Amino acid sequence: QVQLVESGGGSVQSGGSLRLSCAASAATYSRNCVGWFRQRPGKEREGVAGIDDDGDTYYDESVKGRFTIARNNADNMIYLHMSNLNPEDTAMYYCAADPDPERCFARIFRGDFDTWGQGTQVTVSS
């Protein structure tokens, strides 16, 4: 069974930065469709960034210009670089992946993935 393991969360002040990591146990998952999601307190889970098999990226408007998704195929790692963080970014962050690259960004928008990590908490204080 494929595993995704997130790390890198923590507590930062407004304006700070963090880099989240997602380690995939299978390259077929990390190299195709991968999304980063978050669930803020009292809100539904939302997709914030994604990357497909061609390296094209997707960002939600709320994080565009501040978050960057990147992939390291050699290590089956996917990263989410987050900068200029604000308290609204406080959430549990999850990565999800699928070996099927078709309609990747549409699936990120719907949260339509079978394989998820356990999450890593990000807390931003003002």
Side-chain angles (χ1 to χ4, degrees):
Q1 185 173 352
V2 174
Q3 287 188 319
L4 302 175
V5 180
E6 302 97 333
S7 61
S11 297
V12 296
Q13 292 189 324
S14 287
S17 300
L18 283 173
R19 186 186 77 166
L20 305 184
S21 300
C22 174
S25 61
T28 53
Y29 280 69
S30 64
R31 298 183 186 187
N32 286 293
C33 180
V34 181
W36 279 98
F37 298 78
R38 68 184 179 188
Q39 187 161 19
R40 295 185 277 187
K43 297 191 177 182
E44 293 188 354
R45 187 177 59 199
E46 58 184 346
V48 295
I51 186 167
D52 69 7
D53 58 323
D54 290 329
D56 294 328
T57 56
Y58 157 84
Y59 298 98
D60 183 77
E61 285 297 321
S62 65
V63 306
K64 200 171 287 185
R66 301 187 299 121
F67 290 12
T68 302
I69 189 169
R71 170 191 282 143
N72 182 338
N73 284 340
D75 296 333
N76 298 340
M77 296 290 292
I78 306 94
Y79 302 100
L80 186 67
H81 299 264
M82 307 186 297
S83 62
N84 196 20
L85 287 161
N86 61 68
E88 287 294 303
D89 296 316
T90 294
M92 184 72 79
Y93 284 76
Y94 302 88
C95 67
D98 196 289
D100 182 359
E102 292 298 316
R103 297 181 298 278
C104 179
F105 297 155
R107 302 214 314 272
I108 290 172
F109 186 77
R110 297 193 308 267
D112 184 14
F113 288 79
D114 292 330
T115 303
W116 294 81
Q118 82 290 348
T120 186
Q121 177 68 38
V122 172
T123 302
V124 185
S125 58
S126 57

